[in-house]
Amino acid sequence: MSKIPVGILGATGMVGQQYITLLNDHPWFDVRYVAASPRSAGKKYEEAVAGRWQLSKTYAPHVGSIKVEDANDVSCAVSAFKKKKCAFVFSALEMGKDETSALEEAYAAAGIPVISNASAHRWTPDVPVLIAEVNPHHTDIIPMQQKKRGWKNGFIVVKPNCSIQTYMIPLHALVQAGFLIKKIIVTTMQAVSGAGYPGVPSLDTIDNLIPYIGGEEEKSEMEPLKIFGTILNEEIQNAVMPKISACCNRVPLTDGHTACVSLAFGLKKPSIEEIKKVWASYKGLPQENNFPMAPKQPIVYREENNRPQPRKDRDTDKGMAVVIGRLRPCNVFDIRFTALSHNTVRGAAGGGILNAELLKFKGFLR
Amino acid sequence: MSKIPVGILGATGMVGQQYITLLNDHPWFDVRYVAASPRSAGKKYEEAVAGRWQLSKTYAPHVGSIKVEDANDVSCAVSAFKKKKCAFVFSALEMGKDETSALEEAYAAAGIPVISNASAHRWTPDVPVLIAEVNPHHTDIIPMQQKKRGWKNGFIVVKPNCSIQTYMIPLHALVQAGFLIKKIIVTTMQAVSGAGYPGVPSLDTIDNLIPYIGGEEEKSEMEPLKIFGTILNEEIQNAVMPKISACCNRVPLTDGHTACVSLAFGLKKPSIEEIKKVWASYKGLPQENNFPMAPKQPIVYREENNRPQPRKDRDTDKGMAVVIGRLRPCNVFDIRFTALSHNTVRGAAGGGILNAELLKFKGFLR
Amino acid sequence: MSKIPVGILGATGMVGQQYITLLNDHPWFDVRYVAASPRSAGKKYEEAVAGRWQLSKTYAPHVGSIKVEDANDVSCAVSAFKKKKCAFVFSALEMGKDETSALEEAYAAAGIPVISNASAHRWTPDVPVLIAEVNPHHTDIIPMQQKKRGWKNGFIVVKPNCSIQTYMIPLHALVQAGFLIKKIIVTTMQAVSGAGYPGVPSLDTIDNLIPYIGGEEEKSEMEPLKIFGTILNEEIQNAVMPKISACCNRVPLTDGHTACVSLAFGLKKPSIEEIKKVWASYKGLPQENNFPMAPKQPIVYREENNRPQPRKDRDTDKGMAVVIGRLRPCNVFDIRFTALSHNTVRGAAGGGILNAELLKFKGFLR
Amino acid sequence: MSKIPVGILGATGMVGQQYITLLNDHPWFDVRYVAASPRSAGKKYEEAVAGRWQLSKTYAPHVGSIKVEDANDVSCAVSAFKKKKCAFVFSALEMGKDETSALEEAYAAAGIPVISNASAHRWTPDVPVLIAEVNPHHTDIIPMQQKKRGWKNGFIVVKPNCSIQTYMIPLHALVQAGFLIKKIIVTTMQAVSGAGYPGVPSLDTIDNLIPYIGGEEEKSEMEPLKIFGTILNEEIQNAVMPKISACCNRVPLTDGHTACVSLAFGLKKPSIEEIKKVWASYKGLPQENNFPMAPKQPIVYREENNRPQPRKDRDTDKGMAVVIGRLRPCNVFDIRFTALSHNTVRGAAGGGILNAELLKFKGFLR
């Protein structure tokens, strides 16, 4: 099988770099098209990122010599599409919401599927917010989206905020096992890479933390309801539960978002041991079908009382597993636990690639 | 008025050092006696702390030349007491629980009042756990404690865990204003100085956090109930509310514990503006009587959405104020907010000194 | 004596904030005029810095209510000068070199003395680069500067780069004691506050260091030669010694630049003990005349082998002392030692204020 | 070819853990024997390291189930040797010098070759201090060592201090190309993992650095002379050049030692471009013979002016390459540059494994 050629929009930014390296040896996809801001356009990729490369892994040599195109110019991508150099794009655009929204629509309208990391379309009712393990059936809305908008080949799917990916899969596993979740109070301690580069100033993080991340709490409280929602009338209707209260903090570490979660179940309440069993045996569609980017075990539970720890656990299973510890009864709700995931892998580029694998598996990408 | 001579047990440790510097120019108390482990005993204080001094402020010259005594030898303190060099002691002992418990009792039995930072006696029913603003009336148990144990001049009072001092005063202010608090879910992000020196290894805090602090959550959930308790039958009977669920994390910063608090009131629920008013106008007995260590305004509310921040706010009003921000409705409970206090000042030595001021004010120290 | 009214250009930036707080209770100077970029102009100072205040100390209440003027508009300052609200200005401008250079000249031409932190005029031959302890006699060039340029009351003096202030005073003390210094190899480890705010991204400093600071090494190698220079033909002629090789690194800490210095003397070589004596007894003109901002002892030597340390030593004597340790023979040159100073106090605003005190002492400011 | 069974002494410590993971898939060696302190002896390896594991990579499953032996009991190793479970040992012992020295000799006397990370035998005249690229010919002393001491199969080789490995290979490459080096002044900024676990307290590294590492400077100045030495009279005679002055600092980062090096050549001085060429084309015996642990290119030069950076560059080529940047003329000596290597890989376990590969290649291990 020859690989599907893919493009990266926003290829020089932090998430774009993460896409490039994670796709270095991907068995299904091959980066053949890179686009960024006009400032980078025209340079080779290796020139465009010289002095700005953030990762310890590097890009594949053939990517280094690709000419960077202007991400605002959809016609470049269309031309690459015709030359079979870009069957779809990952969008890691870092513009304002309205610009991103319009530009992603322009790509889709031009026939190019868009798998986006941006938040612009998360509340567009016919755009699914996908976590491949949690709501793979939401891809069913894609034909409705295309029909309604008159798009042929193109469409838009998005992934949720990086912060909630730390606990959505374990919550989903419990719901799927029959345990309704009614209320969640969650406090997150989030890594600086979540704000991109240059992002958070050193003077804000040395011997300090910032008890606020603009917009993050609202996203964390609302996006899960769409992900748990159902397709009705060609739109995704939000779930009404769980009620979520999120408090999001920026702490001094590079990668890995940690969440301290307290939750109340409905009438049926699992024991601590039942929960561990549910998590240990949980497999989603990506696991059942061995998607390349899928972690073998999406939920890894650690019994040591001082885990998960960001530096030691974030890279578990290529940075795609959610690592959990400290599951115990809650004095106020039913249970509480601490969860961790890698925010620029599972929470960003890796999650996007897994979504692309899901879409290819379902026949939406060729 | 001549100053009261005081002794410090555990004077060379981190909290001991903090006591020494905070008492540098104290108008009521004067450090005249220092005791530590046998290893330091016999040296001058300045020799004992050479190469181990942790603070940027230094000790008063006259303290540097005091000879360090063996803290295990109560007779030294008794002798100093007789020479009017040690009217009472601050205990910053760092031994095991049973040892500390027995040693503090030995001092008290020998006629020397003990104002302790150690956790050993926090659950002794006739020993009050004092926050000078919150439960100053708990000093009423001291005569009962003395009578029951046959102690004359000596007694023991303790202060609570450093972590809860970040939110006990604001909670107390609300309760006092008539708003019953039923449930609290709190997540803390605690500084490494809370573990003393050497304490937390660098390899655990660089690009990392530790989602666990041994014993801290239990203390955080139980101690408030004793502080809110009532004296009955010569013991402090715990309050039954609020129910507290605490999740305690160690984060990479030197000083300042931050707490993200969600809480549910009883039937009477204040508005956000009412709460701000309650906090702004709150004064406790230390403020009403201008105790030297008391912050002028014990609760400082900051309107900026990115405060409180440990490095910028922990030193507010000599490190004795609780700084709060981000008060807003909670999706699940009634309200939530973020609070900060300096763990080795308000949460340790400064809180101990304020307790001593309270005890002097009430006539227990002379 | 009534205080001299002073203005701050660039008052809302990091160094500007440092000036404001250091002048809070200054016995000679009173901040009455603040100017910043057009973005801040028109706001009250407290509004202009809300959410951007970097320090744990705050500004005096009367400064909070001063209206911020546009620093580009010299006529505002002239008007304030006439109203006796601004006898001279501290320049903490953060523009490009040419703009700063022209603007500072415009203030001076308009009759307003400029005491600058900017690097723009450091290589202007008739502008002295002052360290008040080292080259106070370089103020002699001010009348020549004024005459040549046709300025009446106005003039420009600057202070050197923050990095070299860590070792210039100890070097000067040795030279003054008769020990010629021929060669210096110095490696610095510099705090992030040296780059201002937002400055260095967190992703560059967490679990990392940056082995390069643009322009810093050149400044470190050249500026000392001007400071050690002599006035000749109405210009400052650079000294020819010492030859300096500087390697400057950015390390993950907020404040305090550390320098590891190896140096070779001329024929006359002091012993380690002689050097310690020279440093211990060293006093400059600011010490001899008790300038308010002057450290009592400008060079503090610590015998512990693990000092100086930035967090513990940078605030020594209000952040104005240079703290030295580890003086020992060098295997290759004659001696080596490690020195530390507070880069935003001694190395920036505090050094500027000390220069102003020197100028007032010499009659240049009234 | 079946793999050679190896043992690890000090297997539960930080360097021991690094050995275990680096040997996970080694083509020549297989960990079959692990020994540690009596506290761990008798437990399975996975139990012994539970809660103490420091790395993000984990150990091979078969290692987890090996029973830990008491490292002090040489007879266990002898028994394993007879059962073909331990042909030689890597020593990552963390005892005092005399104990380590005696114990390593006991293993060698018992017929078990010891490849050591400890510093105990670095100054034993008949024990070579090996960097596989620099002085592979020093293995010639092994037969002399064995003969003199009456050892049959056993012997001891050691590796040098982690700090100097950052610049020894680039220096050697220049010397080998005919450029004599006379003087070096080097300042290092070293990672906390160099002190093991628990090692450096967080209170010493947050917003701070420590300008001293006990014994490190002496080692850095002397060990290169032995490595550059020659075998004469059955001993290694130290070289007399270069003269080295080292200043060693502990900075707040996990892994990766950085060195700022200034050096003076003899009469023959290469140009900057010549040096880059020498480094780019340099290959040692490990490269020429494709040792499994050898980096393909032992010296990697980066042209960006802000590299090398520890977090981004330490893992270059499995953590075995030395990464250099900022090569430029020195104002005082001839040239200067900044070099980086991974202190627990190249500077510890990886370097030890490379030495073992060299010894196997030369027939000393079977």
Side-chain angles (χ1 to χ4, degrees):
Chain A
M1 182 183 79
S2 70
K3 294 186 186 180
I4 299 179
V6 310
I8 317 282
L9 310 182
T12 57
M14 184 112 199
V15 172
Q17 293 180 18
Q18 199 57 278
Y19 267 113
I20 300 278
T21 55
L22 289 174
L23 290 169
N24 270 348
D25 301 302
H26 197 278
W28 297 358
F29 306 132
D30 188 22
V31 176
R32 302 284 296 282
Y33 183 81
V34 293
S37 69
R39 186 166 47 94
S40 295
K43 296 179 187 165
K44 282 187 184 180
Y45 186 71
E46 64 198 10
E47 294 162 7
V49 296
R52 296 171 56 197
W53 190 257
Q54 291 302 316
L55 309 175
S56 58
K57 280 183 70 179
T58 192
Y59 43 83
H62 84 274
V63 174
S65 59
I66 300 178
K67 198 186 103 187
V68 180
E69 304 291 344
D70 180 351
N72 294 300
D73 186 351
V74 179
S75 70
C76 296
V78 170
S79 158
F81 181 85
K82 286 181 186 157
K83 291 180 199 156
K84 306 219 177 282
K85 291 194 164 177
C86 177
F88 69 94
V89 293
F90 290 108
S91 162
L93 294 169
E94 295 180 339
M95 309 159 168
K97 191 186 161 175
D98 291 344
E99 272 177 286
T100 304
S101 176
L103 191 53
E104 292 185 346
E105 289 178 20
Y107 277 88
I112 299 172
V114 176
I115 295 170
S116 180
N117 274 56
S119 60
H121 274 295
R122 289 195 197 140
W123 289 104
T124 308
D126 61 351
V127 171
V129 178
L130 295 177
I131 297 177
E133 282 88 350
V134 177
N135 59 339
H137 54 289
H138 278 188
T139 56
D140 292 353
I141 205 168
I142 293 174
M144 308 176 202
Q145 182 196 102
Q146 290 177 316
K147 185 180 150 206
K148 178 171 157 192
R149 293 161 180 263
W151 296 344
K152 295 260 167 64
N153 185 55
F155 58 83
I156 300 172
V157 304
V158 302
K159 49 155 289 305
N161 186 269
C162 53
S163 168
I164 68 169
Q165 317 230 17
T166 295
Y167 42 94
M168 282 303 286
I169 296 177
L171 298 183
H172 170 67
L174 294 171
V175 170
Q176 210 184 29
F179 303 105
L180 192 68
I181 297 169
K182 294 178 67 176
K183 298 177 201 170
I184 298 173
I185 291 184
V186 57
T187 295
T188 64
M189 297 175 285
Q190 303 188 206
V192 299
S193 62
Y197 186 87
V200 186
S202 294
L203 281 169
D204 286 343
T205 58
I206 297 176
D207 196 8
N208 204 26
L209 62 83
I210 306 289
Y212 176 71
I213 303 173
E216 200 81 354
E217 297 175 355
E218 294 77 0
K219 292 176 192 168
S220 299
E221 291 167 355
M222 294 299 293
E223 292 180 10
L225 301 180
K226 184 167 180 186
I227 295 168
F228 284 143
T230 48
I231 299 177
L232 193 70
N233 299 331
E234 312 204 336
E235 295 196 346
I236 296 168
Q237 309 290 333
N238 289 352
V240 293
M241 279 209 289
K243 279 171 78 174
I244 302 176
S245 171
C247 183
C248 298
N249 300 282
R250 189 72 75 192
V251 292
L253 47 92
T254 59
D255 294 311
H257 287 354
T258 304
C260 301
V261 181
S262 282
L263 65 82
F265 288 107
L267 287 180
K268 202 174 151 201
K269 294 175 198 297
S271 70
I272 296 295
E273 285 316 308
E274 277 176 298
I275 293 171
K276 288 185 185 177
K277 260 184 219 160
V278 166
W279 285 344
S281 62
Y282 175 77
K283 287 201 187 311
L285 191 140
Q287 284 73 37
E288 285 158 1
N289 295 283
N290 289 312
F291 291 174
M293 196 71 207
K296 287 207 175 47
Q297 198 176 331
I299 304 171
V300 172
Y301 189 82
R302 296 202 66 122
E303 292 287 346
E304 303 96 321
N305 61 10
N306 64 356
R307 301 293 276 266
Q309 291 176 22
R311 201 180 73 244
K312 296 179 191 167
D313 293 317
R314 64 192 170 207
D315 290 326
T316 303
D317 213 336
K318 298 163 296 188
M320 288 297 288
V322 172
V323 183
I324 305 186
R326 308 210 64 224
L327 177 65
R328 60 205 192 283
C330 177
N331 273 1
V332 174
F333 286 166
D334 292 314
I335 60 154
R336 44 189 172 164
F337 60 87
T338 300
L340 169 81
S341 72
H342 195 304
N343 58 301
T344 68
V345 181
R346 165 56 84 168
I353 294 170
L354 194 61
N355 282 346
E357 293 171 354
L358 169 69
L359 290 163
K360 183 190 171 309
F361 174 79
K362 294 211 169 184
F364 290 102
L365 300 177
R366 251 150 299 180
Chain B
M1 184 183 78
S2 71
K3 294 187 186 179
I4 299 179
V6 311
I8 316 281
L9 309 182
T12 57
M14 183 112 200
V15 173
Q17 293 180 17
Q18 199 57 276
Y19 267 113
I20 301 278
T21 54
L22 288 174
L23 290 169
N24 269 348
D25 300 303
H26 197 279
W28 298 356
F29 307 133
D30 189 21
V31 176
R32 301 284 296 281
Y33 183 81
V34 293
S37 69
R39 186 164 47 93
S40 295
K43 295 179 188 165
K44 280 187 185 180
Y45 186 71
E46 64 198 9
E47 293 162 9
V49 296
R52 298 171 56 196
W53 190 258
Q54 291 303 316
L55 309 176
S56 58
K57 279 182 72 178
T58 191
Y59 42 85
H62 85 274
V63 175
S65 58
I66 299 177
K67 199 187 101 186
V68 180
E69 304 291 344
D70 180 351
N72 294 299
D73 187 348
V74 179
S75 70
C76 296
V78 171
S79 159
F81 181 85
K82 287 180 186 157
K83 292 179 199 155
K84 305 219 178 283
K85 291 193 164 176
C86 177
F88 69 93
V89 293
F90 290 107
S91 163
L93 294 168
E94 294 180 340
M95 310 160 167
K97 191 187 161 175
D98 291 344
E99 272 176 287
T100 304
S101 176
L103 192 52
E104 292 184 346
E105 289 178 19
Y107 276 88
I112 299 172
V114 176
I115 296 169
S116 180
N117 273 56
S119 60
H121 275 295
R122 288 194 198 141
W123 289 103
T124 308
D126 61 350
V127 171
V129 178
L130 295 176
I131 296 177
E133 281 89 349
V134 176
N135 59 339
H137 55 288
H138 278 190
T139 56
D140 292 353
I141 206 167
I142 294 174
M144 308 176 202
Q145 183 195 103
Q146 290 176 317
K147 186 180 150 206
K148 178 172 159 193
R149 293 160 179 263
W151 295 345
K152 296 258 166 65
N153 186 55
F155 59 83
I156 300 173
V157 304
V158 303
K159 47 155 291 305
N161 186 270
C162 54
S163 169
I164 67 169
Q165 316 230 20
T166 295
Y167 42 94
M168 282 302 286
I169 295 177
L171 297 182
H172 170 67
L174 293 171
V175 170
Q176 210 184 29
F179 303 105
L180 191 68
I181 297 170
K182 294 178 67 177
K183 298 178 201 169
I184 299 173
I185 290 184
V186 56
T187 295
T188 64
M189 297 175 286
Q190 301 188 207
V192 299
S193 61
Y197 185 85
V200 186
S202 294
L203 281 168
D204 286 343
T205 56
I206 297 175
D207 197 7
N208 204 27
L209 61 84
I210 305 290
Y212 176 71
I213 303 173
E216 199 82 354
E217 297 175 354
E218 294 78 0
K219 291 176 193 168
S220 299
E221 291 166 356
M222 294 300 293
E223 292 180 11
L225 301 180
K226 184 167 180 186
I227 295 167
F228 284 142
T230 48
I231 299 177
L232 192 70
N233 300 329
E234 313 203 336
E235 295 195 347
I236 295 167
Q237 308 291 332
N238 289 351
V240 293
M241 280 208 288
K243 281 172 76 174
I244 303 176
S245 171
C247 183
C248 298
N249 301 282
R250 190 71 74 193
V251 293
L253 47 93
T254 59
D255 294 310
H257 288 353
T258 304
C260 302
V261 181
S262 282
L263 65 83
F265 289 106
L267 287 180
K268 201 174 151 202
K269 293 174 197 298
S271 69
I272 296 295
E273 286 314 309
E274 277 175 299
I275 293 171
K276 288 186 187 176
K277 261 184 217 159
V278 166
W279 285 344
S281 62
Y282 174 78
K283 288 200 185 310
L285 191 139
Q287 284 73 38
E288 286 158 359
N289 295 283
N290 289 311
F291 291 175
M293 197 70 207
K296 286 205 176 49
Q297 198 176 331
I299 304 170
V300 173
Y301 189 82
R302 297 201 64 122
E303 292 287 346
E304 303 96 322
N305 61 12
N306 64 356
R307 302 293 277 265
Q309 291 177 21
R311 203 181 72 243
K312 295 179 191 167
D313 293 316
R314 64 192 170 206
D315 290 326
T316 303
D317 213 334
K318 299 163 296 187
M320 289 297 288
V322 172
V323 183
I324 306 186
R326 306 210 65 223
L327 176 66
R328 59 205 193 285
C330 176
N331 274 0
V332 174
F333 285 166
D334 292 315
I335 59 155
R336 46 188 170 165
F337 60 88
T338 299
L340 169 83
S341 72
H342 195 304
N343 58 302
T344 69
V345 181
R346 165 56 84 167
I353 294 170
L354 194 61
N355 282 346
E357 293 170 354
L358 170 68
L359 291 162
K360 184 192 170 309
F361 173 80
K362 294 210 169 185
F364 290 102
L365 300 176
R366 254 150 300 179
Chain C
M1 182 183 82
S2 71
K3 294 186 186 180
I4 299 179
V6 311
I8 316 282
L9 309 182
T12 56
M14 183 112 201
V15 172
Q17 294 180 16
Q18 199 57 277
Y19 267 113
I20 300 277
T21 54
L22 289 174
L23 290 169
N24 269 348
D25 300 301
H26 197 280
W28 297 357
F29 305 134
D30 188 22
V31 176
R32 301 284 297 280
Y33 184 81
V34 294
S37 69
R39 186 165 47 92
S40 295
K43 295 180 188 165
K44 281 187 184 180
Y45 186 71
E46 65 198 8
E47 293 162 7
V49 295
R52 298 171 56 197
W53 191 258
Q54 291 301 315
L55 309 175
S56 58
K57 279 182 72 177
T58 191
Y59 42 85
H62 84 274
V63 174
S65 57
I66 299 178
K67 199 186 103 188
V68 180
E69 305 291 343
D70 180 352
N72 294 299
D73 186 350
V74 179
S75 70
C76 296
V78 170
S79 159
F81 182 84
K82 287 180 186 157
K83 293 180 198 155
K84 307 220 178 277
K85 290 193 164 177
C86 177
F88 69 93
V89 294
F90 291 109
S91 163
L93 294 168
E94 294 180 339
M95 310 160 168
K97 192 186 160 173
D98 290 346
E99 270 177 287
T100 304
S101 177
L103 191 53
E104 292 184 346
E105 289 179 19
Y107 277 88
I112 299 173
V114 176
I115 295 169
S116 180
N117 273 55
S119 61
H121 274 293
R122 288 194 198 141
W123 289 102
T124 308
D126 61 351
V127 170
V129 178
L130 294 176
I131 297 178
E133 282 89 349
V134 177
N135 60 339
H137 54 289
H138 278 187
T139 57
D140 292 354
I141 205 167
I142 293 174
M144 308 176 203
Q145 184 195 102
Q146 290 177 317
K147 186 180 150 206
K148 179 173 156 191
R149 294 161 178 262
W151 295 344
K152 297 257 169 64
N153 184 57
F155 59 84
I156 300 173
V157 304
V158 303
K159 46 157 290 306
N161 186 269
C162 53
S163 170
I164 67 169
Q165 317 229 20
T166 294
Y167 42 94
M168 282 302 287
I169 295 177
L171 297 183
H172 170 67
L174 295 171
V175 170
Q176 210 184 28
F179 304 104
L180 191 68
I181 297 169
K182 294 178 66 177
K183 298 177 201 170
I184 299 173
I185 291 184
V186 56
T187 295
T188 64
M189 297 175 285
Q190 302 189 207
V192 298
S193 61
Y197 186 86
V200 186
S202 294
L203 282 168
D204 286 343
T205 57
I206 297 175
D207 197 9
N208 203 28
L209 62 82
I210 305 290
Y212 175 71
I213 303 173
E216 199 81 355
E217 297 174 355
E218 294 77 0
K219 292 175 192 168
S220 298
E221 292 167 355
M222 294 299 294
E223 292 179 10
L225 301 180
K226 184 167 180 187
I227 295 168
F228 284 142
T230 48
I231 299 176
L232 194 69
N233 299 329
E234 313 203 332
E235 294 196 345
I236 295 167
Q237 309 291 332
N238 289 352
V240 294
M241 279 207 290
K243 279 172 77 174
I244 303 176
S245 170
C247 184
C248 298
N249 300 282
R250 188 73 72 191
V251 293
L253 49 93
T254 58
D255 294 310
H257 288 354
T258 304
C260 301
V261 180
S262 282
L263 64 83
F265 289 106
L267 287 180
K268 201 176 151 199
K269 293 176 198 297
S271 71
I272 296 294
E273 287 315 308
E274 277 175 300
I275 293 171
K276 288 185 186 176
K277 259 182 218 160
V278 166
W279 285 343
S281 62
Y282 175 77
K283 288 200 186 310
L285 191 138
Q287 284 73 38
E288 286 159 359
N289 295 284
N290 290 310
F291 291 175
M293 196 71 207
K296 285 205 177 47
Q297 199 176 331
I299 303 171
V300 173
Y301 189 82
R302 297 202 64 123
E303 291 288 345
E304 303 97 319
N305 62 11
N306 64 356
R307 301 293 277 267
Q309 292 176 21
R311 202 181 71 243
K312 296 178 191 167
D313 293 317
R314 64 192 170 207
D315 290 325
T316 303
D317 213 335
K318 298 163 295 188
M320 288 297 288
V322 171
V323 183
I324 305 186
R326 307 209 65 223
L327 177 65
R328 59 207 194 282
C330 177
N331 274 0
V332 174
F333 285 165
D334 292 314
I335 60 153
R336 43 187 171 165
F337 61 86
T338 300
L340 169 82
S341 72
H342 195 304
N343 58 300
T344 68
V345 182
R346 166 55 85 168
I353 294 170
L354 194 61
N355 282 347
E357 294 170 353
L358 169 68
L359 291 162
K360 182 190 171 309
F361 174 80
K362 293 209 169 187
F364 290 102
L365 299 177
R366 252 150 303 180
Chain D
M1 183 183 79
S2 70
K3 295 186 186 179
I4 300 179
V6 312
I8 316 282
L9 308 182
T12 57
M14 183 112 201
V15 172
Q17 294 180 17
Q18 198 58 276
Y19 267 113
I20 301 277
T21 54
L22 288 175
L23 290 169
N24 270 346
D25 301 301
H26 196 279
W28 297 357
F29 306 134
D30 188 22
V31 176
R32 300 284 297 280
Y33 183 81
V34 293
S37 69
R39 186 164 47 93
S40 295
K43 295 179 187 167
K44 282 186 184 180
Y45 186 71
E46 65 198 8
E47 294 161 8
V49 295
R52 297 171 57 197
W53 190 257
Q54 290 302 315
L55 310 175
S56 56
K57 278 182 73 177
T58 191
Y59 43 84
H62 85 274
V63 174
S65 59
I66 299 178
K67 198 186 103 187
V68 180
E69 304 291 344
D70 180 351
N72 294 300
D73 187 350
V74 179
S75 70
C76 295
V78 170
S79 159
F81 181 83
K82 287 181 185 156
K83 292 180 198 156
K84 305 216 179 284
K85 290 193 164 177
C86 177
F88 69 94
V89 293
F90 290 108
S91 162
L93 294 169
E94 294 180 340
M95 310 160 169
K97 192 187 159 171
D98 291 344
E99 273 177 285
T100 303
S101 177
L103 192 52
E104 292 185 346
E105 289 178 20
Y107 276 89
I112 299 172
V114 176
I115 295 169
S116 180
N117 274 55
S119 61
H121 274 294
R122 288 195 198 140
W123 289 103
T124 309
D126 61 351
V127 170
V129 178
L130 295 177
I131 297 177
E133 282 88 349
V134 177
N135 59 339
H137 55 288
H138 278 187
T139 57
D140 292 353
I141 205 166
I142 292 174
M144 309 177 202
Q145 182 195 103
Q146 290 177 317
K147 186 179 151 207
K148 179 174 156 191
R149 293 161 179 262
W151 296 343
K152 296 259 168 65
N153 186 56
F155 59 83
I156 300 172
V157 304
V158 303
K159 48 155 290 306
N161 186 271
C162 53
S163 167
I164 67 169
Q165 316 229 20
T166 294
Y167 43 94
M168 282 302 287
I169 296 177
L171 297 183
H172 170 67
L174 294 172
V175 170
Q176 210 185 29
F179 304 104
L180 191 68
I181 297 169
K182 294 178 68 177
K183 298 178 201 170
I184 298 173
I185 290 184
V186 57
T187 295
T188 64
M189 298 174 285
Q190 302 188 207
V192 298
S193 62
Y197 185 87
V200 186
S202 295
L203 281 169
D204 285 343
T205 57
I206 297 175
D207 197 7
N208 204 26
L209 61 83
I210 305 289
Y212 176 71
I213 303 173
E216 199 82 354
E217 297 175 355
E218 295 77 1
K219 293 175 192 167
S220 299
E221 291 166 356
M222 293 300 293
E223 293 179 10
L225 301 180
K226 184 168 180 187
I227 294 168
F228 285 142
T230 49
I231 299 176
L232 193 69
N233 299 328
E234 312 203 335
E235 295 195 345
I236 296 166
Q237 310 290 332
N238 289 352
V240 294
M241 280 208 288
K243 281 173 77 173
I244 302 177
S245 171
C247 184
C248 297
N249 301 282
R250 189 72 73 192
V251 292
L253 47 94
T254 59
D255 295 310
H257 288 353
T258 304
C260 302
V261 181
S262 281
L263 65 83
F265 289 107
L267 287 180
K268 200 176 152 199
K269 294 175 196 299
S271 71
I272 296 295
E273 285 316 308
E274 277 176 299
I275 293 171
K276 289 186 186 175
K277 260 184 217 159
V278 166
W279 285 344
S281 62
Y282 174 77
K283 288 198 186 312
L285 191 139
Q287 284 72 40
E288 285 158 1
N289 295 284
N290 289 312
F291 292 174
M293 196 70 207
K296 286 205 175 49
Q297 198 175 331
I299 303 170
V300 172
Y301 189 82
R302 297 202 63 123
E303 293 287 345
E304 302 96 322
N305 62 11
N306 64 356
R307 302 293 276 266
Q309 291 176 21
R311 202 180 73 241
K312 296 179 191 167
D313 293 317
R314 63 192 171 207
D315 290 326
T316 303
D317 213 335
K318 300 163 293 189
M320 288 298 287
V322 172
V323 183
I324 305 186
R326 307 210 64 222
L327 176 65
R328 60 207 193 283
C330 176
N331 273 1
V332 174
F333 285 167
D334 292 315
I335 60 154
R336 43 187 172 167
F337 59 87
T338 299
L340 169 82
S341 72
H342 195 303
N343 57 301
T344 69
V345 181
R346 166 54 84 167
I353 294 170
L354 194 61
N355 282 347
E357 292 171 353
L358 169 68
L359 291 162
K360 183 191 172 307
F361 174 79
K362 294 210 168 184
F364 290 102
L365 299 177
R366 254 150 301 178

